[in-house]
Amino acid sequence: MLGIGDYDEDYLFVFQCLLEGLNPEETRAAFEEEFSVTDGRALGKKHEELYEAIRNSILFKSIFLDSQPAPTASQSIA
């Protein structure tokens, strides 16, 4: 679908996180919250690889490369 290899539910979840402005760490946390910590750990680095693959894909590059991740709760909002 869409000419994207390895297009699965994990891909869709990471894509959704990118659309929400989450960074890779927040994406992992969201995955662990949505599914389970065990499933999140089982992903290994897959979420990071998917995150970068989507951000750098020809199809989505213009949407994500210039975007700034949303501030996290630990970051100060001035």
Side-chain angles (χ1 to χ4, degrees):
M1 183 174 196
L2 300 175
I4 301 167
D6 299 325
Y7 182 81
D8 59 11
E9 288 184 25
D10 294 339
Y11 186 99
L12 286 175
F13 191 83
V14 171
F15 183 70
Q16 177 183 341
C17 290
L18 272 159
L19 290 174
E20 293 174 2
L22 302 181
N23 65 35
E25 294 79 25
E26 293 166 328
T27 299
R28 176 184 283 284
F31 190 92
E32 290 175 356
E33 184 178 310
E34 180 75 20
F35 300 101
S36 75
V37 173
T38 304
D39 288 342
R41 289 183 183 145
L43 266 181
K45 298 251 182 212
K46 182 179 179 185
H47 81 285
E48 292 174 16
E49 293 167 2
L50 289 172
Y51 190 93
E52 289 305 315
I54 294 167
R55 277 183 52 105
N56 293 302
S57 73
I58 291 172
L59 189 60
F60 303 119
K61 185 181 275 192
S62 65
I63 298 171
F64 298 121
L65 282 184
D66 294 331
S67 65
Q68 295 293 323
T72 62
S74 63
Q75 294 173 327
S76 172
I77 299 175

